[in-house]
Each structure stands twice: as C-alpha cells, then as structure tokens.
C-alpha cells in the first residue's frame, strides 16, 4: 500500500544552524505534500505545502523541495531557533482519493 | 483563518462509559473531516473520514460500532467512543478540509486527550 518514509527520526542542531528532514513516498499518484509541526500536547499545524507542479517553495526560513521523479521531498529550516523545536511530519496526498499518508515524524531539538 | 476547534481538550472517564468529542471548523465550511488517533511518540493514524450528510468511511481495523461518527453540518463532526476501555486511551485529533476553493489542505484541531480508567 501507500507509504511515506521520513528521516531522520530525531535531529539535534545548534541554534542558527540549518535542519533538513527528508521524505520519500511510494504512490506515484500523490500530488500534494504538506508539512506539519506538532508541539507537545497540541494538534499538528500546517507550516508549508507543495504541489506536484512545483519543484521548490519558500516561506521565510522554511523551504520545501520536491523531486517527483525520485519521489523525494524535503523540508529545510534555516537559522533555526529554540522555538523551532517540535515534531515535524511530512505527508503525501492524492487529490482524487483525498487520503493523506503521514510520515513517522522527526523530533527536532534546537539547542540554544 | 482556517481554525479548527475540538472539545473537550481533555477527558477522563471510567471504563464502560461513552465519550463524545466535538470537532468544529470555526471560519470555514468543511464537507469532509477526518479523525485521527495518535499514540505517544507516534505518527497520526487515520481512523475515519467523515462526510457531511453521509456515513463515515472507516479505515481497516477501526470498529465503526465502537467509534461512532456523526457529521451533521458543514462545521461540526462528532466522534463518540462507546463503552470506552483503558486501551482506548489516546490523543484524538480531527482535521477539516475547506469545501470548494480547489484546496485539499487539512487543518487540524488541537486534539483531545482521552484517559480511560
């Protein structure tokens, strides 16, 4: 069945450094790729998304890249801050089926 | 915009009782809402897709008679955990997708932590 793999499971960086989280998906029909940030005890918050007709999207310190041929997409956070510490989930979705498949999550620690 | 609320945020109940969780889209209409379950340090597991005015679609392994879903309006879906047992203790999260507008983005609620004693 459809699957989304996410790496790494844990990532620790120094404040100011960059963080990169990578995901791969299996369903070639997937055409929408959101990223969510989840803080402890809260629901996931959409931070950025990308559609299959775009290779890269940036929003301030956050960027997402998509390689549809290789079925890879990545989240890049630059100039990390302690408040970036959270669990990040990637997801893949096909518009027709409307079903979203989530990655296992990456726990990001930003050390001050 | 795109705010989803859940109520209650936290509930503790005795084994055998039923618990209802509400999910509301506050500033948009949602034909489709989703219910997820999340265990500690794990990803979100889709339980069911809730469609306004029709029966919910349950994922494999999710008992529809145990997890009753009602989506009576374009802004409200409810999940009722019937005859709850300790193994039902979990973090339940809903999400909603705005109707129309060509978007399939899901906006998540803050979650409900259920503890069954």
């Amino acid at each position: 069945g459809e699957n989304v793999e996410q790496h790494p499971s844990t990532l620790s960086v120094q404040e100011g450094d960059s963080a990169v989280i990578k995901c791969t998906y299996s369903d070639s029909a997937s055409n929408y790729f959101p990223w969510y940030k989840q803080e402890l005890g809260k629901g996931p918050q959409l931070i950025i998304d990308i559609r299959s007709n775009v290779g890269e999207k940036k929003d301030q310190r956050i960027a997402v890249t998509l390689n549809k041929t290789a079925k890879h997409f990545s989240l890049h956070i630059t100039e990390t801050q302690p408040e970036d510490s959270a669990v990040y989930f990637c997801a893949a979705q096909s518009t027709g089926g409307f079903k979203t498949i989530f990655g296992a999550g990456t726990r990001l620690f930003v050390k001050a | 915009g795109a705010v989803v609320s859940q109520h209650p945020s936290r509930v503790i109940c005795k084994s055998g009782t039923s618990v209802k969780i509400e999910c509301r889209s506050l500033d948009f209409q949602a034909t489709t809402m989703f219910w997820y379950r999340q265990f500690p340090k794990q990803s979100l597991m889709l339980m069911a897709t809730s469609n306004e005015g029709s029966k919910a679609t349950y994922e494999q392994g999710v008992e529809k008679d145990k997890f009753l879903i009602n989506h009576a309006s374009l802004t409200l879906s409810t999940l009722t955990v019937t005859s709850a047992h300790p193994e039902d203790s979990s973090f339940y999260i809903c999400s909603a997708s705005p109707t129309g507008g060509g978007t399939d983005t899901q906006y998540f609620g803050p979650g409900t932590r259920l503890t069954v004693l």
Side-chain angles (χ1 to χ4, degrees):
Chain A
E2 302 95 336
N3 186 45
V4 174
E5 292 191 3
Q6 183 171 347
H7 299 280
S9 57
T10 305
L11 178 59
S12 184
V13 300
Q14 203 67 37
E15 182 179 3
D17 288 349
S18 295
V20 180
I21 302 171
K22 298 182 179 181
C23 289
T24 61
Y25 60 98
S26 61
D27 186 358
S28 56
S30 297
N31 56 7
Y32 175 62
F33 307 91
W35 285 88
Y36 293 92
K37 175 184 180 182
Q38 186 177 28
E39 297 178 338
L40 190 63
K42 298 183 179 180
Q45 294 296 306
L46 178 71
I47 55 172
I48 196 168
D49 56 10
I50 192 168
R51 298 185 186 275
S52 58
N53 58 348
V54 176
E56 184 174 355
K57 184 176 179 181
K58 189 174 182 180
D59 183 3
Q60 299 183 337
R61 297 187 296 110
I62 295 173
V64 58
T65 59
L66 171 65
N67 182 330
K68 211 166 183 320
T69 303
K71 296 182 187 172
H72 290 172
F73 58 114
S74 300
L75 177 72
H76 304 253
I77 305 174
T78 58
E79 300 173 30
T80 53
Q81 301 167 4
E83 49 266 38
D84 294 329
S85 297
V87 178
Y88 291 81
F89 291 99
C90 64
Q93 182 177 321
S94 57
T95 306
F98 225 160
K99 184 171 179 177
T100 303
I101 307 297
F102 286 86
T106 296
R107 191 169 297 274
L108 174 64
F109 297 96
V110 180
K111 295 177 287 187
Chain B
V3 178
V4 176
S5 70
Q6 271 183 251
H7 179 80
S9 57
R10 178 182 298 267
V11 58
I12 301 173
C13 69
K14 292 183 179 180
S15 186
T17 60
S18 294
V19 175
K20 180 186 282 188
I21 302 170
E22 292 186 349
C23 177
R24 293 181 187 273
S25 56
L26 298 185
D27 50 3
F28 65 96
Q29 293 185 330
T31 304
T32 305
M33 291 184 174
F34 304 87
W35 286 96
Y36 294 84
R37 185 172 181 176
Q38 187 178 36
F39 291 105
K41 297 186 178 181
Q42 292 191 22
S43 189
L44 292 84
M45 285 177 42
L46 180 65
M47 299 174 64
T49 302
S50 167
N51 297 292
E52 187 265 339
S54 64
K55 292 183 178 180
T57 304
Y58 290 82
E59 293 300 302
Q60 191 172 6
V62 178
E63 299 176 56
K64 62 180 181 181
D65 294 330
K66 175 146 186 82
F67 299 100
L68 301 178
I69 291 173
N70 184 286
H71 192 159
S73 78
L74 287 172
T75 59
L76 173 64
S77 176
T78 61
L79 169 69
T80 301
V81 183
T82 62
S83 187
H85 289 93
E87 57 266 29
D88 297 324
S89 298
S90 189
F91 194 50
Y92 291 88
I93 312 172
C94 72
S95 71
S97 287
T99 300
T103 179
D104 42 20
T105 301
Q106 291 184 44
Y107 297 96
F108 284 85
T112 296
R113 183 158 304 281
L114 170 63
T115 303
V116 184
L117 302 176

